Each structure stands twice: as structure tokens, then as C-alpha cells.
């Protein structure tokens, strides 16, 4: 094995991009043969331990492909896209890079992503579960072309689970988790009171209070909880009662000092650390927290179930709006596309996915790499059960039409129109959320009208009708084109 420089997670992506490549092992002058091709991969070193994992895996790749050296550039997740953009602008573009979710469209809109169809074979496509690579629903295609490859299980990105400490609930007299928001509020208050400052009943996950969106997703269509638009009507709906009540629920708990103090400054890892330490009894979470809790506290009595729903009943299921979330893309400016594809092919191999699952406990896009083992693991079996019970296919305007793609991209570029900051302000300052929600709806409508007019003036598609799926029932699976 080659001797590598010490691994280091880089923390200043923009500065790094300006000052040069942020290498984590491998470089054109680190001993590579003169005729070796160097492929630069820009990635995000998460979850914890990913830096070492990727380097070890890519070392194995290099052994199997002696003509290719892989240079890794790391960026913090919240700076990755800006850093990669700077690399393109400075003619230092990576060959392969991570641009997940909306980031793929952001990069594609600038012409920086190469279509992968020329490299893909039928055998490659067979690695993925049947039907998941359909261009109409894969989430990886745009205009029928394959533009990205996934890493995690399709449901993984959409799934949200409710985690609870069985021992802490029992201390307060509860033999199971809350099934409704009302029960959650009551139980959290009792657990916090019984904890007497040593532990707390509930916390909203992190500083942006994503728990408001997670819980709201059981009351209103996902499009309302995620971006303020009701895809059944194509109209702004931030002021929907279910979304407003989700914020108000957190406001009441904050005012009553039920939630863990200081959550307003938490990063994305603090909740699972607090939970693993026995200081937090319950919280809604993405599924990857489960493995992190187990790493920190293997013996903790961890319960995993679906999110509590409004006392009036469920209004929506969690949305599976595409088969996969985009993650790995190839640069359209790469001078080594064949070699870059070999790296991407490796990152989508059964061996890599199995290693990723075994290291991080994350269910990956290639179900064959982990399913048998996962079904025998109580935590992962619980995650699979929650996914089966609470996820339903939902419409995705970006996949349905060019107009839908244009208008959702425009909305993604306007984070100030999302309710998140207003919701956190309402919770922290103990102010009613409804007035802020009503103003956001007016601002959203004005933006949609303005954007539609601008697209029309350019001869492009994109209007409220592209966000409208009138027959969609968020309590049932959606059939594209049905």
C-alpha cells in the first residue's frame, strides 16, 4: 500500500478551493507513475469515519486499477456545492463529485454534469432493484439521460423515524412511545419533569428545528412541509393548519421548558450524542442516527418506530418522490471520462456498498449488499418496518415535466421563502407562527407569478400548473401519469 499523508477533514471549503486542492491522500506528485491518470474526486467526509473509509476503499481501487490514481478533495457538507462551483470557475474541476439532492440540478443547470448513458451496460443496471432505474421515476435522470448515481437506499433519504429511550420512558410510567402529537407533548413534559435537569423529554433534532417538518409530514402533503406548496393545488400553503400546529407544538414545549436547553445551537450530530448519553428521551430523526447511537452506546434500550401523528388522525404519509437521491456525478469537463467512470462504477459496486453498509450501518442503493443481514439486525429490521408502513410514492414535478423542473429549481434557489427561519424564530421567541406563515404564502405566490412570467417571456415552460397534481391523495401511492 502506498504511504499516504495524514488524513484530515477540511473545514474551509471556499478557502480550500481558492488556495488549491484539499487533498486527503493521493496527488499527481505523490509517487504516481508518469503514465498514470489521476482522477480527482470531491466528496463529503460524512458520516464520522468516512475520510478513512473512502481512502481505504480507493486504495483498493488503485490496486485493482494500476493505471489510475485517485486524488480525494474533501469539503464540509454545507460548503460542498459552493466549493465545487469555485473549482469549476477556476478551471480546477474535479472529475467526479458529490452533488446530492437539489445540488445535482444546480450543477447540471450550469452544464457541468456529463450524461453517463454511454458507459452504462444492462449488467450495470441490474445491480439496482427492479424498476428503480426507470428514467421517469429514478430521480437520477433528467430529460431521459442518466445524470447521477446513488449511494443510499431509495427510502433512506425520505424516511424519518421516531427514536425513544425505553428506560427513560419507563421511569416516568410509560410502556411505549407516543402515537399522537398530544401524547408526545404530554409525555415529553412528564419525562423532563422527572429528569430534573439530568435528562429531557424531547428536542427538535438541531438548530433549524427540522422536527417541525418531520412531524408536519404526517399532517400535510410533503410538498407543504418541505417547501410551502401544496401539489394538489399548485398553490402556497405554508399556513395549512397541520404545518402551523407542528410549529405551535414546538413553541408550547419550548415555552414550558420541556425541550433540551441549547438545542438552538446544535449541529446535526448533537441529538444522537445526547440520546446515546442518556440525556434525551425522544426525538424524530433520519434513520442514520440509529447506527451512530449504537456506536456510542451499544447497550442502550433504543426504540424505533414511526412518527407520531396529529390527534385528529394522519393527513399524509412520508413521500417517496423518486427511487433514489442523486449523489455521484461526473464532470462534463473531465479529460479522463473513461477512468472517471471506472471510479464511479467502483463506487456503485456490490463490494463497495457492502463495505459501506458494514462500516456505517447505512442501507445502500444496492439492496443485495445488505438486505439479508439487515433483516436479522433488530435496529435495521425496525427501520425497514417503519419504511414499509409510513412511506408512499408521491408526485415529483422535477421528474414530471420541464416546466416542473424549471420552477422547482427556481424555488430551491430561494431558501428565504421557506418557513424554516420563521418557524425557529416563532419557537424561540414564543410568538404565534400563523401571521408569519400567511406572509410567506403571499411572498411565495408573488414569486411563482414572477417566475412564471419570466419563463414565459423566454419561451420556456414553468408555472403553477406544473406543480399541480389534482388527483393526488397523500394517503395513497401516486402513479406517475396515472
Amino acid at each position: 500500500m502506498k504511504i499516504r499523508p495524514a488524513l484530515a477533514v477540511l473545514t474551509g471549503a471556499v478557502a480550500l478551493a481558492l488556495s488549491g486542492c484539499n487533498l486527503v491522500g493521493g496527488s499527481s506528485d505523490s509517487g504516481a507513475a508518469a503514465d498514470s491518470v489521476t482522477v480527482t474526486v470531491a466528496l463529503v467526509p460524512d458520516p464520522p469515519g468516512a475520510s478513512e473509509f473512502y481512502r481505504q476503499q480507493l486504495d483498493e481501487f488503485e490496486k485493482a486499477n494500476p493505471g489510475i490514481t485517485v486524488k480525494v478533495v474533501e469539503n464540509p457538507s454545507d460548503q460542498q456545492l459552493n466549493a465545487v462551483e469555485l473549482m469549476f470557475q477556476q478551471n480546477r474541476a474535479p472529475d467526479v463529485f458529490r452533488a446530492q439532492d437539489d445540488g445535482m440540478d444546480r450543477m447540471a443547470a450550469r452544464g457541468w454534469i456529463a450524461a453517463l448513458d454511454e458507459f452504462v451496460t444492462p449488467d450495470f443496471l441490474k445491480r439496482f432493484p427492479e424498476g428503480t432505474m426507470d428514467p421517469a421515476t429514478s430521480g437520477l435522470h433528467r430529460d431521459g439521460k442518466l445524470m447521477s448515481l446513488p449511494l443510499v437506499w431509495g427510502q433512506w433519504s425520505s424516511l424519518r423515524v421516531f427514536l425513544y429511550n425505553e428506560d427513560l420512558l419507563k421511569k416516568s410510567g410509560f410502556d411505549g412511545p407516543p402515537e399522537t402529537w398530544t401524547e408526545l407533548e404530554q409525555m415529553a413534559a412528564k419525562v423532563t419533569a422527572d429528569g430534573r435537569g439530568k435528562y429531557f423529554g424531547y428536542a427538535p433534532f438541531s438548530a433549524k428545528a427540522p422536527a417541525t417538518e418531520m412531524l408536519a409530514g404526517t399532517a400535510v402533503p410533503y410538498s407543504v412541509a418541505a417547501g410551502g406548496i401544496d401539489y394538489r393545488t399548485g398553490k402556497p400553503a405554508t399556513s395549512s393548519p397541520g404545518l402551523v400546529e407542528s410549529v405551535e407544538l414546538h413553541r408550547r414545549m419550548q415555552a414550558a421548558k420541556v425541550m433540551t436547553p441549547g438545542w438552538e445551537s446544535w449541529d446535526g450530530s448533537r441529538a444522537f450524542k445526547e440520546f446515546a448519553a442518556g440525556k434525551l428521551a425522544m426525538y424524530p430523526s433520519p434513520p442514520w442516527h440509529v447506527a451512530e447511537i449504537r456506536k456510542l452506546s451499544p447497550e442502550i434500550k433504543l426504540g424505533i418506530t414511526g412518527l407520531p401523528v396529529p390527534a385528529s388522525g394522519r393527513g399524509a404519509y412520508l413521500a417517496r418522490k423518486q427511487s433514489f437521491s442523486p449523489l455521484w456525478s461526473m464532470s462534463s469537463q473531465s479529460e479522463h471520462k473513461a477512468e472517471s467512470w471506472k471510479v464511479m462504477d467502483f463506487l456503485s459496486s456490490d463490494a463497495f456498498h457492502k463495505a459501506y453498509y458494514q462500516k456505517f450501518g447505512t442501507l445502500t442503493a444496492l439492496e443485495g449488499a445488505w438486505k439479508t443481514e439487515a433483516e436479522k439486525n433488530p435496529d435495521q429490521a425496525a427501520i425497514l418496518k417503519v419504511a414499509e408502513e409510513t412511506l408512499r410514492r408521491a408526485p415529483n414535478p422535477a421528474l414530471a415535466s420541464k416546466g416542473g423542473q424549471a420552477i422547482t429549481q427556481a424555488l430551491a434557489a430561494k431558501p428565504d421563502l421557506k418557513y424554516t427561519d420563521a418557524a425557529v424564530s416563532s419557537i424561540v421567541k414564543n410568538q404565534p407562527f400563523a401571521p408569519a406563515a400567511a406572509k410567506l404564502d403571499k411572498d411565495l405566490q408573488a414569486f411563482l407569478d414572477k417566475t412564471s412570467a419570466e419563463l414565459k417571456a423566454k419561451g420556456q415552460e414553468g408555472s403553477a400548473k406544473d406543480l399541480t397534481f389534482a388527483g393526488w391523495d397523500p394517503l395513497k401511492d401516486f402513479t406517475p401519469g396515472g
Side-chain angles (χ1 to χ4, degrees):
M1 179 179 292
K2 295 178 181 179
I3 297 174
R4 299 286 182 188
L7 296 175
V9 175
L10 304 177
T11 57
V14 175
L16 290 173
L18 290 170
S19 62
C21 293
N22 309 295
L23 306 183
V24 181
S27 73
S28 58
D29 58 358
S30 63
D35 59 350
S36 176
V37 169
T38 297
V39 173
T40 301
V41 178
L43 54 79
V44 175
D46 67 23
S51 290
E52 294 82 358
F53 172 79
Y54 275 110
R55 191 62 260 169
Q56 291 166 358
Q57 289 293 310
L58 292 171
D59 283 345
E60 294 298 319
F61 170 83
E62 289 182 346
K63 287 180 182 177
N65 296 272
I68 303 175
T69 296
V70 180
K71 185 167 66 179
V72 175
V73 180
E74 289 189 350
N75 300 294
S77 57
D78 61 347
Q79 299 179 33
Q80 164 78 350
L81 293 177
N82 288 337
V84 171
E85 281 187 347
L86 279 174
M87 294 174 75
F88 273 97
Q89 291 164 358
Q90 296 173 341
N91 296 319
R92 307 162 65 89
D95 298 285
V96 177
F97 56 96
R98 173 169 159 167
Q100 63 194 96
D101 301 327
D102 295 337
M104 190 271 280
D105 282 318
R106 176 172 157 182
M107 295 298 172
R110 292 160 172 77
W112 291 339
I113 291 182
L116 303 172
D117 301 271
E118 65 179 289
F119 304 107
V120 171
T121 65
D123 283 343
F124 178 84
L125 295 178
K126 285 180 181 177
R127 298 176 189 177
F128 300 90
E130 185 177 358
T132 58
M133 293 299 271
D134 182 339
T137 56
S138 77
L140 310 173
H141 292 74
R142 294 294 184 272
D143 300 326
K145 297 178 181 178
L146 182 63
M147 305 297 285
S148 182
L149 296 178
L151 175 60
V152 301
W153 186 44
Q155 286 86 328
W156 192 263
S157 300
S158 303
L159 184 62
R160 298 293 179 261
V161 295
F162 191 80
L163 307 181
Y164 61 99
N165 183 317
E166 295 180 5
D167 283 339
L168 294 185
L169 294 194
K170 282 183 179 178
K171 284 184 179 179
S172 291
F174 302 114
D175 58 6
E179 295 183 359
T180 68
W181 296 2
T182 301
E183 291 178 359
L184 168 63
E185 187 173 6
Q186 294 170 346
M187 290 173 64
K190 179 70 163 58
V191 172
T192 294
D194 293 343
R196 299 178 182 274
K198 294 182 178 179
Y199 58 85
F200 293 84
Y202 180 82
F205 181 80
S206 70
K208 290 290 186 181
T212 58
E213 180 175 334
M214 295 181 191
L215 294 184
T218 70
V220 295
Y222 87 95
S223 57
V224 175
I229 306 292
D230 190 335
Y231 285 169
R232 295 173 299 183
T233 63
K235 295 180 179 178
T238 306
S239 54
S240 294
L243 178 55
V244 171
E245 174 55 19
S246 178
V247 178
E248 292 295 305
L249 169 68
H250 288 82
R251 182 165 78 96
R252 290 195 298 272
M253 288 196 283
Q254 175 78 356
K257 299 182 179 180
V258 167
M259 301 196 291
T260 308
W263 63 267
E264 304 95 319
S265 61
W266 285 8
D267 62 17
S269 66
R270 183 65 179 273
F272 68 69
K273 291 177 180 175
E274 292 286 315
F275 189 95
K279 299 179 180 178
L280 174 60
M282 302 180 284
Y283 74 104
S285 170
W288 65 272
H289 276 209
V290 172
E292 297 304 318
I293 290 170
R294 284 296 183 209
K295 289 177 188 174
L296 296 172
S297 184
E299 303 303 323
I300 195 170
K301 291 187 177 178
L302 166 62
I304 304 167
T305 189
L307 299 171
V309 304
S312 58
R314 179 185 291 277
Y317 282 99
L318 301 178
R320 183 163 53 90
K321 59 181 183 178
Q322 55 198 9
S323 296
F324 297 111
S325 288
L327 195 117
W328 299 115
S329 291
M330 183 191 295
S331 167
S332 61
Q333 298 178 10
S334 174
E335 296 179 356
H336 307 296
K337 287 190 171 65
E339 292 81 4
S340 297
W341 171 253
K342 285 189 176 182
V343 175
M344 298 183 75
D345 182 60
F346 172 74
L347 294 172
S348 298
S349 67
D350 188 77
F352 179 84
H353 279 237
K354 183 170 291 185
Y356 195 93
Y357 165 75
Q358 291 175 341
K359 174 68 177 179
F360 301 113
T362 297
L363 309 183
T364 69
L366 303 187
E367 292 184 3
W370 51 263
K371 193 157 190 179
T372 300
E373 191 172 341
E375 288 173 343
K376 298 176 183 176
N377 180 302
D379 289 343
Q380 291 161 352
I383 290 172
L384 292 172
K385 183 173 185 289
V386 174
E388 183 178 355
E389 293 177 346
T390 64
L391 279 168
R392 300 290 185 273
R393 182 174 291 281
N396 185 339
L399 303 183
S401 68
K402 287 187 176 179
Q405 187 176 334
I407 205 129
T408 52
Q409 285 180 11
L411 282 167
K414 293 290 291 181
D416 55 309
L417 292 177
K418 189 170 179 177
Y419 65 89
T420 308
D421 289 344
V424 172
S425 177
S426 174
I427 295 167
V428 173
K429 296 180 180 177
N430 193 21
Q431 296 174 342
F433 178 63
K439 181 180 184 305
L440 277 169
D441 280 342
K442 289 183 179 178
D443 292 345
L444 268 168
Q445 188 60 61
F447 178 77
L448 290 175
D449 293 342
K450 178 175 178 286
T451 302
S452 297
E454 291 174 348
L455 290 169
K456 185 177 181 180
K458 297 176 183 176
Q460 299 176 1
E461 301 174 26
S463 67
K465 71 177 184 180
D466 295 299
L467 302 178
T468 305
F469 301 84
W472 174 42
D473 181 350
L475 292 173
K476 297 179 180 178
D477 267 321
F478 174 77
T479 302

